Amino acid sequence: LGIVGSSFLLRKASNNISDTETITNTTRYGEISNQLWSNKEQIKHFPNQIPEDATNVQLAYSPGFSQQGSYFQLRMKQRPEKIKKVLLKYREIAKHKYRGGNTNDHANLPNGVPTTFFYTSDAQDSFPTTYEILVLNAENRGTPGFKWNHGDSYGVAIDSSASEIVYWVEAW
């Protein structure tokens, strides 16, 4: 009975580990945006599908579990004129604007809000200063005295010089 119980617990633990792995396969973009990310309001700024002319496309999705939050990012390179157009659009409607950094940097600024880490980067967790992080919305769902314990935020990070855009959403 002890061996059976132990093997059940080990199998359950290994299944939980595989369930929390980050999805990076770009062919699953439609599945994530249409089925797995439940709050469609948070991802309405994401493209309906990955544009055919996009290059260097990277994806990062984690459904989160237990105390870990969930996130979804789509990073791509596009033509400079397209990047310029979306930058102007999102700059105008952004509620918060930052240059480089990550969620910890932004949340700790005066009147700052949590944003995201650079999950689609190969080398770092912070956006370089060439990126403008534009927060389209951030909702504090924490309790008094424990601000931002729970919440969500979403927006775009745009590097005009590299013609890159990162669509992002976080919920915790």
Side-chain angles (χ1 to χ4, degrees):
L1 188 60
I3 294 171
V4 172
S6 296
S7 69
F8 172 78
L9 291 174
L10 284 173
R11 188 169 6 101
K12 194 74 172 149
S14 69
N15 284 344
N16 285 344
I17 291 167
S18 66
D19 289 345
T20 62
E21 289 179 5
T22 301
I23 296 171
T24 58
N25 183 343
T26 58
T27 63
R28 297 192 60 191
Y29 178 73
E31 174 192 0
I32 295 164
S33 60
N34 294 320
Q35 298 167 15
L36 299 179
W37 197 271
S38 60
N39 188 332
K40 301 306 178 211
E41 182 67 23
Q42 295 171 338
I43 60 170
K44 69 181 182 184
H45 65 291
F46 278 60
N48 292 332
Q49 59 188 27
I50 297 172
E52 288 184 25
D53 63 342
T55 58
N56 297 343
V57 179
Q58 294 180 308
L59 179 123
Y61 166 75
S62 176
F65 75 103
S66 185
Q67 295 295 315
Q68 179 186 352
S70 55
Y71 60 84
F72 181 23
Q73 279 188 7
L74 177 66
R75 176 183 177 193
M76 67 183 95
K77 189 180 256 307
Q78 296 230 262
R79 293 185 325 274
E81 56 277 3
K82 195 168 186 180
I83 292 295
K84 184 177 181 179
K85 185 179 176 181
V86 296
L87 177 60
L88 292 173
K89 173 186 172 182
Y90 290 126
R91 250 189 209 153
E92 192 173 301
I93 62 173
K95 295 182 178 179
H96 302 273
K97 301 172 186 175
Y98 303 103
R99 262 283 171 200
N102 65 42
T103 189
N104 293 332
D105 302 324
H106 306 144
N108 288 312
L109 292 170
N111 299 314
V113 298
T115 55
T116 192
F117 290 103
F118 197 3
Y119 297 111
T120 50
S121 170
D122 296 328
Q124 58 198 34
D125 69 350
S126 292
F127 289 91
T129 56
T130 52
Y131 276 88
E132 279 188 61
I133 293 84
L134 304 171
V135 182
L136 303 179
N137 199 30
E139 294 287 330
N140 175 19
R141 301 186 197 292
T143 56
F146 206 21
K147 191 174 182 182
W148 296 109
N149 180 39
H150 298 287
D152 57 73
S153 66
Y154 56 88
V156 293
I158 298 175
D159 182 341
S160 299
S161 61
S163 295
E164 281 191 349
I165 185 167
V166 178
Y167 296 90
W168 60 268
V169 60
E170 293 253 358
W172 60 94

